[in-house]
Amino acid sequence: MTIGITIIIIIITAIISFLAFSNHELMDKLIFYPPDIAQRKQWYRFFSNGLIHADIGHLAFNMISLYFFGDLVNRAFAEIFGNSTGTLLYLVMYISALAICLIPTYLSNKENYYYRSLGASGAVSAVIFAGIFLFPQAPLSFLFLPIRIPGFVFGPLYLIISAYWSRKGTSHINHSAHLWGALYGIAFLIVMSFALRTGFNPFINFVQSVESYF
């Protein structure tokens, strides 16, 4: 029995997160801190912040979300791009999303010595939204609204809410990372599908799936 790449990501993230819970020095070295990136060129923080979380609840929410969507997206990638290439692209999407989703945050906070961010939420959002674009009928729900709705409805609502809270900027949650991570997941799927000439058209697949829902 082989361990899937999603489970490996979850295990590594959980181990490092638990270590950082009781080790403030490790937490400080890995957390996303824009001034250290800008002034000390500690670019690794774009990626390392995704290995740590604020608390067990934060970690559990991200990893459970990744668990439910990760294997689904990985299997879809394997069908579209081939087994080994699909798994590699899934991993590349996840790792690159950790950094890509934080670029707007970095540009806005390069000189903000009070700003810090952590967690894999942006990368998890990339996986979830790649999954929504592939399977728009998949039922999802918001924590504050326990009613399951299809992904093609959930997706736009999530993006609108994230954009609103990101612009408002009154929350300690980095909604900007959620927003850009989600958009990146969709963009990655589209670009790779056409760049590698797979014959799979994600736009047609999405539209046909939504049409069949009705």
PDB file of all heavy atoms in Angstrom, residues 32-40 103-116:
ATOM      1  N   PHE A  32       5.704  33.961   7.723  1.00  0.00           N
ATOM      2  CA  PHE A  32       5.787  34.918   6.628  1.00  0.00           C
ATOM      3  C   PHE A  32       5.897  36.322   7.223  1.00  0.00           C
ATOM      4  O   PHE A  32       4.954  36.833   7.820  1.00  0.00           O
ATOM      5  CB  PHE A  32       4.543  34.831   5.745  1.00  0.00           C
ATOM      6  CG  PHE A  32       4.571  35.748   4.555  1.00  0.00           C
ATOM      7  CD1 PHE A  32       5.396  35.466   3.471  1.00  0.00           C
ATOM      8  CD2 PHE A  32       3.773  36.878   4.508  1.00  0.00           C
ATOM      9  CE1 PHE A  32       5.426  36.313   2.368  1.00  0.00           C
ATOM     10  CE2 PHE A  32       3.787  37.724   3.412  1.00  0.00           C
ATOM     11  CZ  PHE A  32       4.626  37.440   2.346  1.00  0.00           C
ATOM     12  N   TYR A  33       7.074  36.930   7.049  1.00  0.00           N
ATOM     13  CA  TYR A  33       7.352  38.249   7.615  1.00  0.00           C
ATOM     14  C   TYR A  33       7.956  39.106   6.504  1.00  0.00           C
ATOM     15  O   TYR A  33       9.160  39.020   6.224  1.00  0.00           O
ATOM     16  CB  TYR A  33       8.317  38.119   8.791  1.00  0.00           C
ATOM     17  CG  TYR A  33       8.586  39.414   9.529  1.00  0.00           C
ATOM     18  CD1 TYR A  33       7.546  40.216   9.975  1.00  0.00           C
ATOM     19  CD2 TYR A  33       9.901  39.820   9.784  1.00  0.00           C
ATOM     20  CE1 TYR A  33       7.792  41.401  10.648  1.00  0.00           C
ATOM     21  CE2 TYR A  33      10.156  40.998  10.468  1.00  0.00           C
ATOM     22  CZ  TYR A  33       9.100  41.791  10.888  1.00  0.00           C
ATOM     23  OH  TYR A  33       9.347  42.972  11.568  1.00  0.00           O
ATOM     24  N   PRO A  34       7.146  39.916   5.813  1.00  0.00           N
ATOM     25  CA  PRO A  34       7.583  40.674   4.636  1.00  0.00           C
ATOM     26  C   PRO A  34       8.866  41.485   4.804  1.00  0.00           C
ATOM     27  O   PRO A  34       9.712  41.490   3.894  1.00  0.00           O
ATOM     28  CB  PRO A  34       6.379  41.570   4.334  1.00  0.00           C
ATOM     29  CG  PRO A  34       5.217  40.766   4.825  1.00  0.00           C
ATOM     30  CD  PRO A  34       5.713  40.108   6.083  1.00  0.00           C
ATOM     31  N   PRO A  35       9.080  42.211   5.932  1.00  0.00           N
ATOM     32  CA  PRO A  35      10.318  42.986   6.058  1.00  0.00           C
ATOM     33  C   PRO A  35      11.586  42.135   5.965  1.00  0.00           C
ATOM     34  O   PRO A  35      12.596  42.562   5.383  1.00  0.00           O
ATOM     35  CB  PRO A  35      10.188  43.637   7.435  1.00  0.00           C
ATOM     36  CG  PRO A  35       8.711  43.782   7.633  1.00  0.00           C
ATOM     37  CD  PRO A  35       8.140  42.519   7.044  1.00  0.00           C
ATOM     38  N   ASP A  36      11.562  40.921   6.532  1.00  0.00           N
ATOM     39  CA  ASP A  36      12.737  40.056   6.444  1.00  0.00           C
ATOM     40  C   ASP A  36      12.956  39.552   5.027  1.00  0.00           C
ATOM     41  O   ASP A  36      14.095  39.297   4.618  1.00  0.00           O
ATOM     42  CB  ASP A  36      12.585  38.856   7.392  1.00  0.00           C
ATOM     43  CG  ASP A  36      13.099  39.163   8.793  1.00  0.00           C
ATOM     44  OD1 ASP A  36      13.694  40.234   8.979  1.00  0.00           O
ATOM     45  OD2 ASP A  36      12.895  38.333   9.696  1.00  0.00           O
ATOM     46  N   ILE A  37      11.889  39.413   4.279  1.00  0.00           N
ATOM     47  CA  ILE A  37      12.018  39.008   2.878  1.00  0.00           C
ATOM     48  C   ILE A  37      12.605  40.152   2.064  1.00  0.00           C
ATOM     49  O   ILE A  37      13.520  39.960   1.259  1.00  0.00           O
ATOM     50  CB  ILE A  37      10.656  38.590   2.302  1.00  0.00           C
ATOM     51  CG1 ILE A  37      10.124  37.354   3.037  1.00  0.00           C
ATOM     52  CG2 ILE A  37      10.764  38.314   0.812  1.00  0.00           C
ATOM     53  CD1 ILE A  37       8.717  36.960   2.642  1.00  0.00           C
ATOM     54  N   ALA A  38      12.096  41.356   2.284  1.00  0.00           N
ATOM     55  CA  ALA A  38      12.537  42.518   1.517  1.00  0.00           C
ATOM     56  C   ALA A  38      13.966  42.938   1.858  1.00  0.00           C
ATOM     57  O   ALA A  38      14.758  43.269   0.974  1.00  0.00           O
ATOM     58  CB  ALA A  38      11.571  43.683   1.750  1.00  0.00           C
ATOM     59  N   GLN A  39      14.299  42.903   3.139  1.00  0.00           N
ATOM     60  CA  GLN A  39      15.586  43.434   3.573  1.00  0.00           C
ATOM     61  C   GLN A  39      16.680  42.364   3.684  1.00  0.00           C
ATOM     62  O   GLN A  39      17.843  42.623   3.393  1.00  0.00           O
ATOM     63  CB  GLN A  39      15.414  44.138   4.913  1.00  0.00           C
ATOM     64  CG  GLN A  39      14.451  45.323   4.841  1.00  0.00           C
ATOM     65  CD  GLN A  39      14.058  45.846   6.203  1.00  0.00           C
ATOM     66  OE1 GLN A  39      14.699  45.561   7.208  1.00  0.00           O
ATOM     67  NE2 GLN A  39      12.973  46.626   6.255  1.00  0.00           N
ATOM     68  N   ARG A  40      16.303  41.168   4.116  1.00  0.00           N
ATOM     69  CA  ARG A  40      17.285  40.105   4.320  1.00  0.00           C
ATOM     70  C   ARG A  40      17.234  39.024   3.250  1.00  0.00           C
ATOM     71  O   ARG A  40      17.955  38.037   3.323  1.00  0.00           O
ATOM     72  CB  ARG A  40      17.088  39.476   5.707  1.00  0.00           C
ATOM     73  CG  ARG A  40      17.246  40.459   6.848  1.00  0.00           C
ATOM     74  CD  ARG A  40      17.083  39.775   8.192  1.00  0.00           C
ATOM     75  NE  ARG A  40      17.207  40.722   9.292  1.00  0.00           N
ATOM     76  CZ  ARG A  40      17.101  40.394  10.582  1.00  0.00           C
ATOM     77  NH1 ARG A  40      16.868  39.130  10.917  1.00  0.00           N
ATOM     78  NH2 ARG A  40      17.217  41.312  11.520  1.00  0.00           N
ATOM     79  N   ILE A 103       2.060  36.983  -2.875  1.00  0.00           N
ATOM     80  CA  ILE A 103       2.729  38.102  -3.560  1.00  0.00           C
ATOM     81  C   ILE A 103       2.010  39.430  -3.315  1.00  0.00           C
ATOM     82  O   ILE A 103       2.652  40.432  -2.964  1.00  0.00           O
ATOM     83  CB  ILE A 103       2.879  37.812  -5.067  1.00  0.00           C
ATOM     84  CG1 ILE A 103       3.900  36.683  -5.279  1.00  0.00           C
ATOM     85  CG2 ILE A 103       3.325  39.072  -5.816  1.00  0.00           C
ATOM     86  CD1 ILE A 103       4.060  36.262  -6.724  1.00  0.00           C
ATOM     87  N   PRO A 104       0.680  39.511  -3.471  1.00  0.00           N
ATOM     88  CA  PRO A 104       0.001  40.782  -3.168  1.00  0.00           C
ATOM     89  C   PRO A 104       0.188  41.211  -1.717  1.00  0.00           C
ATOM     90  O   PRO A 104       0.361  42.404  -1.420  1.00  0.00           O
ATOM     91  CB  PRO A 104      -1.474  40.474  -3.475  1.00  0.00           C
ATOM     92  CG  PRO A 104      -1.421  39.361  -4.469  1.00  0.00           C
ATOM     93  CD  PRO A 104      -0.265  38.514  -4.028  1.00  0.00           C
ATOM     94  N   THR A 105       0.156  40.245  -0.793  1.00  0.00           N
ATOM     95  CA  THR A 105       0.366  40.549   0.621  1.00  0.00           C
ATOM     96  C   THR A 105       1.764  41.097   0.848  1.00  0.00           C
ATOM     97  O   THR A 105       1.950  42.069   1.601  1.00  0.00           O
ATOM     98  CB  THR A 105       0.177  39.281   1.483  1.00  0.00           C
ATOM     99  OG1 THR A 105      -1.140  38.763   1.262  1.00  0.00           O
ATOM    100  CG2 THR A 105       0.355  39.594   2.960  1.00  0.00           C
ATOM    101  N   TYR A 106       2.732  40.492   0.202  1.00  0.00           N
ATOM    102  CA  TYR A 106       4.128  40.943   0.336  1.00  0.00           C
ATOM    103  C   TYR A 106       4.288  42.374  -0.181  1.00  0.00           C
ATOM    104  O   TYR A 106       4.906  43.216   0.489  1.00  0.00           O
ATOM    105  CB  TYR A 106       5.049  39.999  -0.432  1.00  0.00           C
ATOM    106  CG  TYR A 106       6.450  40.517  -0.602  1.00  0.00           C
ATOM    107  CD1 TYR A 106       7.324  40.572   0.484  1.00  0.00           C
ATOM    108  CD2 TYR A 106       6.899  40.968  -1.846  1.00  0.00           C
ATOM    109  CE1 TYR A 106       8.611  41.064   0.336  1.00  0.00           C
ATOM    110  CE2 TYR A 106       8.187  41.458  -2.003  1.00  0.00           C
ATOM    111  CZ  TYR A 106       9.039  41.511  -0.912  1.00  0.00           C
ATOM    112  OH  TYR A 106      10.308  42.002  -1.060  1.00  0.00           O
ATOM    113  N   LEU A 107       3.735  42.645  -1.346  1.00  0.00           N
ATOM    114  CA  LEU A 107       3.884  43.974  -1.942  1.00  0.00           C
ATOM    115  C   LEU A 107       3.225  45.058  -1.087  1.00  0.00           C
ATOM    116  O   LEU A 107       3.679  46.204  -1.076  1.00  0.00           O
ATOM    117  CB  LEU A 107       3.271  43.976  -3.351  1.00  0.00           C
ATOM    118  CG  LEU A 107       3.983  43.085  -4.380  1.00  0.00           C
ATOM    119  CD1 LEU A 107       3.224  43.087  -5.702  1.00  0.00           C
ATOM    120  CD2 LEU A 107       5.432  43.549  -4.597  1.00  0.00           C
ATOM    121  N   SER A 108       2.186  44.689  -0.346  1.00  0.00           N
ATOM    122  CA  SER A 108       1.475  45.663   0.494  1.00  0.00           C
ATOM    123  C   SER A 108       2.094  45.828   1.874  1.00  0.00           C
ATOM    124  O   SER A 108       1.777  46.791   2.583  1.00  0.00           O
ATOM    125  CB  SER A 108       0.011  45.233   0.665  1.00  0.00           C
ATOM    126  OG  SER A 108      -0.648  45.160  -0.572  1.00  0.00           O
ATOM    127  N   ASN A 109       2.964  44.897   2.259  1.00  0.00           N
ATOM    128  CA  ASN A 109       3.459  44.900   3.647  1.00  0.00           C
ATOM    129  C   ASN A 109       4.978  44.802   3.759  1.00  0.00           C
ATOM    130  O   ASN A 109       5.488  44.389   4.803  1.00  0.00           O
ATOM    131  CB  ASN A 109       2.815  43.744   4.423  1.00  0.00           C
ATOM    132  CG  ASN A 109       1.331  43.921   4.615  1.00  0.00           C
ATOM    133  OD1 ASN A 109       0.882  44.622   5.519  1.00  0.00           O
ATOM    134  ND2 ASN A 109       0.548  43.280   3.748  1.00  0.00           N
ATOM    135  N   LYS A 110       5.704  45.181   2.718  1.00  0.00           N
ATOM    136  CA  LYS A 110       7.166  45.069   2.744  1.00  0.00           C
ATOM    137  C   LYS A 110       7.801  45.865   3.873  1.00  0.00           C
ATOM    138  O   LYS A 110       8.867  45.511   4.376  1.00  0.00           O
ATOM    139  CB  LYS A 110       7.762  45.523   1.400  1.00  0.00           C
ATOM    140  CG  LYS A 110       7.545  44.544   0.276  1.00  0.00           C
ATOM    141  CD  LYS A 110       8.392  44.879  -0.937  1.00  0.00           C
ATOM    142  CE  LYS A 110       7.965  46.177  -1.577  1.00  0.00           C
ATOM    143  NZ  LYS A 110       8.736  46.434  -2.835  1.00  0.00           N
ATOM    144  N   GLU A 111       7.147  46.947   4.283  1.00  0.00           N
ATOM    145  CA  GLU A 111       7.703  47.787   5.346  1.00  0.00           C
ATOM    146  C   GLU A 111       6.810  47.786   6.592  1.00  0.00           C
ATOM    147  O   GLU A 111       6.949  48.654   7.453  1.00  0.00           O
ATOM    148  CB  GLU A 111       7.895  49.214   4.829  1.00  0.00           C
ATOM    149  CG  GLU A 111       8.899  49.298   3.678  1.00  0.00           C
ATOM    150  CD  GLU A 111       9.076  50.717   3.172  1.00  0.00           C
ATOM    151  OE1 GLU A 111       8.450  51.633   3.750  1.00  0.00           O
ATOM    152  OE2 GLU A 111       9.840  50.903   2.203  1.00  0.00           O
ATOM    153  N   ASN A 112       5.932  46.815   6.665  1.00  0.00           N
ATOM    154  CA  ASN A 112       5.030  46.702   7.810  1.00  0.00           C
ATOM    155  C   ASN A 112       5.648  45.756   8.832  1.00  0.00           C
ATOM    156  O   ASN A 112       5.554  44.534   8.705  1.00  0.00           O
ATOM    157  CB  ASN A 112       3.660  46.185   7.361  1.00  0.00           C
ATOM    158  CG  ASN A 112       2.645  46.171   8.484  1.00  0.00           C
ATOM    159  OD1 ASN A 112       2.978  46.368   9.654  1.00  0.00           O
ATOM    160  ND2 ASN A 112       1.390  45.926   8.139  1.00  0.00           N
ATOM    161  N   TYR A 113       6.262  46.301   9.873  1.00  0.00           N
ATOM    162  CA  TYR A 113       6.981  45.487  10.853  1.00  0.00           C
ATOM    163  C   TYR A 113       6.043  44.793  11.847  1.00  0.00           C
ATOM    164  O   TYR A 113       6.500  44.022  12.680  1.00  0.00           O
ATOM    165  CB  TYR A 113       7.989  46.364  11.602  1.00  0.00           C
ATOM    166  CG  TYR A 113       9.084  46.881  10.700  1.00  0.00           C
ATOM    167  CD1 TYR A 113       8.969  48.135  10.098  1.00  0.00           C
ATOM    168  CD2 TYR A 113      10.201  46.104  10.420  1.00  0.00           C
ATOM    169  CE1 TYR A 113       9.960  48.602   9.251  1.00  0.00           C
ATOM    170  CE2 TYR A 113      11.200  46.573   9.576  1.00  0.00           C
ATOM    171  CZ  TYR A 113      11.070  47.820   8.988  1.00  0.00           C
ATOM    172  OH  TYR A 113      12.039  48.275   8.145  1.00  0.00           O
ATOM    173  N   TYR A 114       4.759  45.052  11.714  1.00  0.00           N
ATOM    174  CA  TYR A 114       3.789  44.409  12.601  1.00  0.00           C
ATOM    175  C   TYR A 114       3.055  43.252  11.917  1.00  0.00           C
ATOM    176  O   TYR A 114       2.281  42.551  12.560  1.00  0.00           O
ATOM    177  CB  TYR A 114       2.762  45.437  13.091  1.00  0.00           C
ATOM    178  CG  TYR A 114       3.371  46.543  13.911  1.00  0.00           C
ATOM    179  CD1 TYR A 114       3.671  47.775  13.334  1.00  0.00           C
ATOM    180  CD2 TYR A 114       3.656  46.357  15.266  1.00  0.00           C
ATOM    181  CE1 TYR A 114       4.248  48.799  14.085  1.00  0.00           C
ATOM    182  CE2 TYR A 114       4.225  47.371  16.025  1.00  0.00           C
ATOM    183  CZ  TYR A 114       4.522  48.584  15.426  1.00  0.00           C
ATOM    184  OH  TYR A 114       5.090  49.593  16.172  1.00  0.00           O
ATOM    185  N   TYR A 115       3.328  43.084  10.621  1.00  0.00           N
ATOM    186  CA  TYR A 115       2.561  42.083   9.868  1.00  0.00           C
ATOM    187  C   TYR A 115       3.248  40.722   9.847  1.00  0.00           C
ATOM    188  O   TYR A 115       4.436  40.607   9.565  1.00  0.00           O
ATOM    189  CB  TYR A 115       2.334  42.534   8.420  1.00  0.00           C
ATOM    190  CG  TYR A 115       1.399  41.599   7.684  1.00  0.00           C
ATOM    191  CD1 TYR A 115       0.025  41.776   7.739  1.00  0.00           C
ATOM    192  CD2 TYR A 115       1.902  40.501   6.984  1.00  0.00           C
ATOM    193  CE1 TYR A 115      -0.845  40.896   7.104  1.00  0.00           C
ATOM    194  CE2 TYR A 115       1.042  39.614   6.346  1.00  0.00           C
ATOM    195  CZ  TYR A 115      -0.321  39.816   6.413  1.00  0.00           C
ATOM    196  OH  TYR A 115      -1.168  38.939   5.808  1.00  0.00           O
ATOM    197  N   ARG A 116       2.473  39.693  10.126  1.00  0.00           N
ATOM    198  CA  ARG A 116       2.930  38.310  10.013  1.00  0.00           C
ATOM    199  C   ARG A 116       1.773  37.456   9.519  1.00  0.00           C
ATOM    200  O   ARG A 116       0.613  37.756   9.788  1.00  0.00           O
ATOM    201  CB  ARG A 116       3.443  37.782  11.363  1.00  0.00           C
ATOM    202  CG  ARG A 116       4.794  38.347  11.766  1.00  0.00           C
ATOM    203  CD  ARG A 116       5.149  37.982  13.200  1.00  0.00           C
ATOM    204  NE  ARG A 116       6.503  38.369  13.532  1.00  0.00           N
ATOM    205  CZ  ARG A 116       6.883  39.604  13.837  1.00  0.00           C
ATOM    206  NH1 ARG A 116       5.983  40.575  13.832  1.00  0.00           N
ATOM    207  NH2 ARG A 116       8.144  39.879  14.123  1.00  0.00           N
TER     208      ARG A 116
END
